[in-house]
Amino acid sequence: MLTTRKVVLAMLALATLIPAAAEAQTRRTTRVRTGVWNTGILGGVTLSTFSTANSTPLKQAVGAQAGVFADRGINRNVGVRAEVLVSQRGAKNDANANTMRLAYLDVPLMVRVGPTTTNATHFHAFTGLTPGFLLKTSTTTGGALAGGISTDVKKFDLGWLIGAGVEQHAWSIDGRYTFGLMNINNVPTQVEYKNRSFSINVGYRF
């Protein structure tokens, strides 16, 4: 089980690799034009669980996330970004050792605040909405996870994400937290469940 301390240490370790990787590639111009779309790939690890009023103890499930992005600077300090990601979420039931895993096609739509016209090392923050389309549901025992949520999960979810990251040349690393805004339980007589997910991603801009 990954603890918060281990997650932070992993982020710091990955951040130290960015300068070396950036120097190894052909050196790019230190200026980036606004008003054009930049594309790239990203991927990382997710730690997720469910928010619920049910008292059944739930633990985080570890998963993965990967996809593509396109971003564009509006001015020197504000930009927009869209992503298409396949993301794993879910939770573990501490009472019966059952794990529920959900796979989503996420389409985050974000506003980014931070320098947009430089390839030099810089920090940025971002926030936005994440529509999610359910691709697959599975449980280790085939039964309910807790309090009546089963493989009958709604096909659409909407989340709000906040995050921050660091970039240098073509490389980036970010951490983000996504709050599910909708009840994903498709069993109307049972407890509401909402996704909660933290992820760390490394990206490369072409």
Side-chain angles (χ1 to χ4, degrees), residues 111-168:
V111 174
R112 288 163 40 104
V113 178
T116 62
T117 60
T118 179
N119 273 319
T121 303
H122 62 277
F123 293 89
H124 62 273
F126 52 90
T127 187
L129 293 175
T130 304
F133 304 90
L134 186 67
L135 299 175
K136 184 179 179 180
T137 303
S138 65
T139 56
T140 54
T141 65
L145 176 69
I149 188 170
S150 65
T151 53
D152 190 9
V153 176
K154 292 179 180 178
K155 302 299 182 182
F156 178 78
D157 188 27
L158 182 65
W160 171 52
L161 68 82
I162 56 173
V166 60
E167 294 179 326
Q168 185 179 45

Side-chain angles (χ1 to χ4, degrees), residues 25-145:
Q25 67 174 357
T26 301
R27 192 167 186 83
R28 301 186 175 201
T29 175
T30 58
R31 305 296 294 177
V32 179
R33 292 179 300 162
T34 58
V36 298
W37 288 98
N38 301 290
T39 59
I41 57 175
L42 74 161
V45 63
T46 62
L47 301 174
S48 59
T49 188
F50 299 133
S51 171
T52 177
N54 190 281
S55 60
T56 302
L58 297 178
K59 287 188 174 182
Q60 291 178 328
V62 180
Q65 186 174 69
V68 297
F69 68 82
D71 56 30
R72 179 171 180 164
I74 298 175
N75 56 41
R76 294 174 62 89
N77 293 297
V78 178
V80 293
R81 177 161 170 152
E83 299 175 348
V84 179
L85 306 171
V86 175
S87 306
Q88 292 181 324
R89 290 195 276 275
K92 293 182 179 180
N93 184 351
D94 214 20
N96 61 14
N98 188 17
T99 300
M100 185 174 197
R101 297 194 181 278
L102 308 175
Y104 283 90
L105 180 66
D106 289 332
V107 188
L109 305 170
M110 299 171 283
V111 174
R112 288 163 40 104
V113 178
T116 62
T117 60
T118 179
N119 273 319
T121 303
H122 62 277
F123 293 89
H124 62 273
F126 52 90
T127 187
L129 293 175
T130 304
F133 304 90
L134 186 67
L135 299 175
K136 184 179 179 180
T137 303
S138 65
T139 56
T140 54
T141 65
L145 176 69

